[in-house]
Amino acid sequence: MAFGKWISSMKGLFSEGPMKELSEEMAEQPQVKLTAENVAFTNEFRETFNVNSPVKDNIRNSFLFSMLVMASHIVIADGKVEPEEYQFLGKFLNENFGEEAETEGMDVVKKLVAKHEELEARKPNAFLQLIGDCGSQIASSLSEDLRYQMLSMLALIVKSDEKVTPSEVETLKEVAVYIGMKATDVDALMNIDPIKARDEWQWMKQK
């Protein structure tokens, strides 16, 4: 699918409200809370987000766009963009969704990152509103298992440069809540013991 056509198909995406067409088709699955490195990305995950999957175009594109919006939010969480984060995300998109998804997806993420400050200057909290809209759509339409896999991908972006900061962990937890998950899911993905979380954050702040 051409990039221009893909983007144009997403116009008005969030003006129609959360989509619920898949909610009855995707049963909630028992969830074992694994660390991000140990989460397996399933064929269902790939088919749901893949631009070339047989899922209906409007649903497919909105899920993929939502994931890319979340990824851009994570990339700028610590106030700067690390090359390793882009490298990991590009590789992830290629390996799970194909070369076309990598090319188009990275273009979307980079444009969102570049436009972040401009959006905020023009309309405060505009970007955060976009995150909320995307999160509501994901929360209402996808199973917990698929949402955990997506959150795992975002956690791996944070871990990709080996410089985990408190702001990145906080942003991950913020996203987790937006997509209907728990902040403690981030503790599991990042391998942070909730009981020792305060000490862990103090350690990170010293880095």
Side-chain angles (χ1 to χ4, degrees):
M1 180 184 293
F3 176 69
K5 182 179 179 182
W6 182 53
I7 291 299
S8 65
S9 69
M10 294 186 290
K11 290 181 178 179
L13 182 65
F14 302 109
S15 63
E16 300 175 0
M19 292 180 296
K20 301 180 180 179
E21 294 183 37
L22 291 187
S23 59
E24 295 181 358
E25 299 177 18
M26 298 178 177
E28 293 291 334
Q29 312 242 346
Q31 183 65 67
V32 177
K33 304 301 183 183
L34 301 173
T35 58
E37 293 83 355
N38 294 316
V39 172
F41 295 97
T42 63
N43 287 333
E44 183 184 10
F45 177 87
R46 297 184 183 94
E47 290 172 359
T48 299
F49 293 93
N50 193 344
V51 294
N52 294 315
S53 76
V55 181
K56 294 179 181 179
D57 284 351
N58 64 327
I59 300 176
R60 176 190 65 211
N61 286 333
S62 63
F63 287 156
L64 178 61
F65 181 69
S66 292
M67 183 171 71
L68 295 175
V69 168
M70 298 296 184
S72 68
H73 190 44
I74 296 300
V75 165
I76 59 178
D78 59 355
K80 56 184 176 180
V81 178
E82 300 290 349
E84 295 90 342
E85 294 173 336
Y86 275 158
Q87 290 169 7
F88 168 81
L89 182 56
K91 182 179 179 182
F92 180 90
L93 292 173
N94 191 312
E95 290 181 348
N96 288 280
F97 311 120
E99 185 175 346
E100 180 183 17
E102 177 187 4
T103 301
E104 296 180 351
M106 290 308 298
D107 192 47
V108 169
V109 170
K110 289 177 181 179
K111 286 181 177 179
L112 285 168
V113 169
K115 288 288 185 179
H116 175 261
E117 289 188 10
E118 180 183 331
L119 285 172
E120 287 299 304
R122 187 166 65 242
K123 184 179 179 182
N125 297 318
F127 199 79
L128 195 60
Q129 179 63 51
L130 179 59
I131 299 298
D133 290 341
C134 289
S136 295
Q137 178 209 39
I138 292 293
S140 66
S141 303
L142 298 185
S143 68
E144 181 181 351
D145 186 49
L146 288 173
R147 283 179 279 141
Y148 197 76
Q149 289 179 61
M150 192 190 81
L151 192 60
S152 173
M153 183 274 289
L154 299 176
L156 289 172
I157 292 176
V158 171
K159 291 185 175 187
S160 63
D161 63 359
E162 299 182 354
K163 298 175 184 177
V164 179
T165 66
S167 61
E168 289 175 313
V169 174
E170 181 65 24
T171 300
L172 267 176
K173 292 188 174 185
E174 179 181 70
V175 168
V177 173
Y178 275 131
I179 66 173
M181 304 295 284
K182 299 177 180 178
T184 52
D185 290 328
V186 173
D187 293 329
L189 288 166
M190 299 297 293
N191 198 25
I192 299 175
D193 185 342
I195 299 178
K196 299 179 180 179
R198 182 176 301 175
D199 292 337
E200 180 73 14
W201 279 52
Q202 290 300 321
W203 175 81
M204 288 191 293
K205 288 177 181 178
Q206 295 171 9
K207 293 294 180 178

